[in-house]
């Protein structure tokens, strides 16, 4: 009986093996014919492989600075005690706004000079009138009259000089020099407090006002990158304060000298700052866009999949024909990547939900 059973098992084994092989073949066919569901297809972004100029970026470190062409430093014109200072660092002031009053003996002296000049002119005028009458009566020579006329003109000149000097120094003859804002902007530096004695020969400004509607970004270029940056190059500036915000500008000045200590060259970017988001002394990351002059195949960076030390893209033929194609990444520039390999211009590639699609095709 056992011999009969063994014979039956031997006859059935090829049949079982045949069905098992058919089952594996069916599974393989199912994998190769994956169909993208309608719900997923509606959410996919499908882009084309194109040719574009290959650009790269150089990342430089820098900081936000004042626009020195839109900045005014205020120095004391006279010595004395300052009072009436109410503005603080960071306050916005308008042009001609009063910032403080310097009580100064120098201004009193200038006022006295003006009074003296007016008196001298009045005396000179009386002498001139008397001399002209005497000349008409034959009691004064023409030479003497010319001398008196010259003295009168000198007195006029001295009065104009005294008046101009006083006007330059505020025009107040009572000893008060009014400190006013020459431009509208923010007080970015302040080196004075009420009742402080200040000197006119001090090289330190008492106020600095800057219009922050546009600012400078100064970046450091190391020697290895000097040949790669040029006037007019586009830059993208980011800051720690606004990591998701990109400020776009161009290089408008290259300082063609190296710092002897740090061995770096400075470049300058002027950025609009209408909302005053950029503050002086902020650290900035400056990405300079460099055009290599070569063309390459480019795709959205979001289309790339990296798995087992290899980059892949999903080439879309139809909803039932999506192929996993290996590619080589030459370079990346933000949301754009340059590739070579088994793709060509015009190929449709999936650029969203790629990890999900890649997993489904490999399951």
């Amino acid at each position: 009986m056992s011999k009969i059973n063994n014979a039956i098992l031997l006859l059935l084994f090829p049949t079982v093996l045949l069905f098992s092989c058919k089952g594996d073949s069916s599974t393989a066919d199912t994998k190769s014919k994956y169909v993208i569901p309608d719900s997923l297809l509606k959410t996919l972004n499908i882009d084309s492989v194109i040719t574009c100029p290959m650009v790269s970026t150089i990342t430089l470190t820098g900081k936000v600075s004042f626009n020195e062409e839109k900045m005014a430093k205020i120095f004391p014109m006279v010595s004395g005690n300052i009072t009436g200072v109410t503005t603080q660092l960071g306050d916005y002031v308008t042009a001609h706004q009063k910032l403080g009053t310097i009580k100064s003996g120098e201004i009193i002296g200038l006022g006295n000079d003006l009074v003296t000049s007016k008196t001298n002119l009045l005396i000179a005028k009386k002498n001139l009138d008397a001399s002209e009458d005497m000349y008409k009566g034959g009691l004064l020579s023409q030479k003497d009259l010319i001398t008196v006329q010259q003295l009168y003109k000198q007195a006029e000149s001295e009065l104009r000089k005294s008046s101009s000097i006083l006007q330059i120094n505020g025009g107040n003859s009572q000893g008060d020099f009014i400190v006013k804002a020459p431009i509208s902007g923010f007080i970015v530096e302040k080196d004075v407090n009420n009742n402080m004695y200040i000197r006119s020969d001090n090289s330190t400004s008492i106020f600095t006002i800057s219009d922050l509607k546009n600012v400078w970004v100064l970046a450091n270029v190391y020697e290895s990158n000097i040949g790669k940056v040029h006037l007019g190059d586009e830059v993208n500036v980011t800051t720690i304060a606004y990591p998701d915000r990109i400020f776009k500008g161009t290089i408008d000045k290259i300082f063609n000298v190296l710092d002897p200590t740090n061995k770096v060259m400075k470049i300058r970017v002027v950025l609009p700052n209408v909302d005053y988001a950029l503050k002086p002394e902020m650290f900035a990351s400056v990405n300079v866009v460099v055009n290599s002059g070569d063309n390459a195949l480019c795709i959205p960076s979001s289309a790339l999949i990296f798995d087992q030390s290899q980059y892949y893209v999903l080439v879309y033929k139809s909803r039932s024909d999506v192929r996993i194609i290996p590619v080589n990444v030459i370079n990346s520039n933000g949301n754009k990547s340059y590739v070579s390999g088994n793709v060509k211009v015009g190929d449709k590639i999936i650029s969203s939900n790629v990890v999900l699609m890649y997993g489904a095709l490999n399951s």
Side-chain angles (χ1 to χ4, degrees), residues 8-9 21 34 44 52 57 59 62 72 82 96 139 152 174 180 227 260 267 298 306 325 344 347 354 361:
I8 293 171
L9 290 173
C21 291
Y34 171 78
L44 293 181
C52 55
T57 58
T59 302
I82 188 167
H96 310 300
L139 301 176
Y152 175 76
Q174 306 302 315
K180 295 181 179 180
I267 62 170
C298 57
F306 186 73
I325 304 297
K344 62 183 182 301
D347 282 349
V354 291
L361 290 168

Side-chain angles (χ1 to χ4, degrees), residues 176-327:
D176 294 339
F177 177 81
I178 308 301
V179 181
K180 295 181 179 180
I183 62 171
S184 298
F186 292 89
I187 295 180
V188 294
E189 292 178 357
K190 176 175 176 284
D191 194 39
V192 67
N193 292 308
N194 280 314
N195 301 315
M196 179 183 290
Y197 185 83
I198 56 179
R199 296 171 55 93
S200 59
D201 58 357
N202 193 341
S203 60
T204 303
S205 60
I206 55 177
F207 294 102
T208 301
I209 300 172
S210 179
D211 177 6
L212 298 179
K213 290 181 180 177
N214 59 64
V215 294
W216 288 356
V217 175
L218 301 177
N220 301 317
V221 184
Y222 287 94
E223 287 187 65
S224 58
N225 289 324
I226 286 178
K228 300 176 183 178
V229 298
H230 311 87
L231 281 175
D233 283 350
E234 295 181 3
V235 299
N236 297 320
V237 179
T238 57
T239 60
I240 297 174
Y242 311 103
D244 298 325
R245 185 172 176 182
I246 297 176
F247 302 89
K248 293 185 176 293
T250 58
I251 298 175
D252 84 321
K253 185 174 178 62
I254 294 177
F255 298 85
N256 292 301
V257 292
L258 268 66
D259 185 286
T261 303
N262 301 322
K263 299 298 181 182
V264 295
M265 181 183 74
K266 297 282 187 183
I267 62 170
R268 185 182 73 189
V269 179
V270 180
L271 293 179
N273 191 34
V274 179
D275 59 352
Y276 303 117
L278 295 172
K279 318 292 184 187
E281 299 303 319
M282 272 185 173
F283 287 106
S285 179
V286 180
N287 296 308
V288 183
V289 180
V290 180
N291 192 336
S292 67
D294 298 326
N295 290 329
L297 298 176
C298 57
I299 62 173
S301 297
S302 58
L304 289 171
I305 306 158
F306 186 73
D307 185 29
Q308 297 181 357
S309 303
Q310 174 66 54
Y311 282 100
Y312 300 92
V313 294
L314 303 180
V315 176
Y316 177 86
K317 301 291 185 180
S318 69
R319 60 183 300 178
S320 60
D321 188 1
V322 180
R323 303 175 187 180
I324 301 173
I325 304 297
V327 294

Side-chain angles (χ1 to χ4, degrees), residues 14-303:
T15 305
V16 172
L17 183 61
L18 177 62
F19 277 107
S20 175
C21 291
K22 286 184 178 179
D24 290 343
S25 176
S26 175
T27 302
D29 290 344
T30 301
K31 288 183 180 178
S32 63
K33 294 181 179 179
Y34 171 78
V35 179
I36 304 174
D38 287 337
S39 57
L40 179 59
L41 184 62
K42 293 177 180 178
T43 64
L44 293 181
N45 292 330
I46 300 176
D47 292 277
S48 297
V49 178
I50 61 174
T51 301
C52 55
M54 189 164 63
V55 298
S56 59
T57 58
I58 302 172
T59 302
L60 309 174
T61 58
K63 70 172 184 177
V64 180
S65 183
F66 311 118
N67 182 341
E68 294 182 5
E69 296 174 354
K70 302 286 186 179
M71 183 175 70
K73 288 183 174 290
I74 303 174
F75 294 89
M77 299 289 290
V78 295
S79 302
N81 289 308
I82 188 167
T83 59
V85 178
T86 58
T87 53
Q88 301 299 321
L89 195 65
D91 287 353
Y92 184 84
V93 296
T94 57
H96 310 300
Q97 179 177 331
K98 180 180 176 180
L99 303 179
T101 302
I102 300 175
K103 299 287 186 180
S104 173
E106 294 176 21
I107 298 296
I108 295 175
L110 294 175
N112 290 338
D113 291 343
L114 180 62
V115 172
T116 301
S117 296
K118 287 179 178 179
T119 302
N120 290 339
L121 179 62
L122 182 61
I123 295 172
K125 182 67 170 70
K126 289 181 178 181
N127 289 337
L128 178 61
D129 292 341
S131 297
E132 288 176 343
D133 290 339
M134 293 174 65
Y135 175 73
K136 291 176 182 179
L139 301 176
L140 189 69
S141 67
Q142 186 177 14
K143 180 180 178 181
D144 291 336
L145 177 63
I146 292 173
T147 301
V148 175
Q149 289 174 337
Q150 290 297 324
L151 291 173
Y152 175 76
K153 289 180 179 179
Q154 289 177 6
E156 281 186 320
S157 178
E158 287 295 326
L159 178 60
R160 286 195 298 269
K161 177 182 175 182
S162 299
S163 179
S164 296
I165 293 174
L166 189 62
Q167 288 299 320
I168 291 171
N169 287 277
N172 188 303
S173 60
Q174 306 302 315
D176 294 339
F177 177 81
I178 308 301
V179 181
K180 295 181 179 180
I183 62 171
S184 298
F186 292 89
I187 295 180
V188 294
E189 292 178 357
K190 176 175 176 284
D191 194 39
V192 67
N193 292 308
N194 280 314
N195 301 315
M196 179 183 290
Y197 185 83
I198 56 179
R199 296 171 55 93
S200 59
D201 58 357
N202 193 341
S203 60
T204 303
S205 60
I206 55 177
F207 294 102
T208 301
I209 300 172
S210 179
D211 177 6
L212 298 179
K213 290 181 180 177
N214 59 64
V215 294
W216 288 356
V217 175
L218 301 177
N220 301 317
V221 184
Y222 287 94
E223 287 187 65
S224 58
N225 289 324
I226 286 178
K228 300 176 183 178
V229 298
H230 311 87
L231 281 175
D233 283 350
E234 295 181 3
V235 299
N236 297 320
V237 179
T238 57
T239 60
I240 297 174
Y242 311 103
D244 298 325
R245 185 172 176 182
I246 297 176
F247 302 89
K248 293 185 176 293
T250 58
I251 298 175
D252 84 321
K253 185 174 178 62
I254 294 177
F255 298 85
N256 292 301
V257 292
L258 268 66
D259 185 286
T261 303
N262 301 322
K263 299 298 181 182
V264 295
M265 181 183 74
K266 297 282 187 183
I267 62 170
R268 185 182 73 189
V269 179
V270 180
L271 293 179
N273 191 34
V274 179
D275 59 352
Y276 303 117
L278 295 172
K279 318 292 184 187
E281 299 303 319
M282 272 185 173
F283 287 106
S285 179
V286 180
N287 296 308
V288 183
V289 180
V290 180
N291 192 336
S292 67
D294 298 326
N295 290 329
L297 298 176
C298 57
I299 62 173
S301 297
S302 58

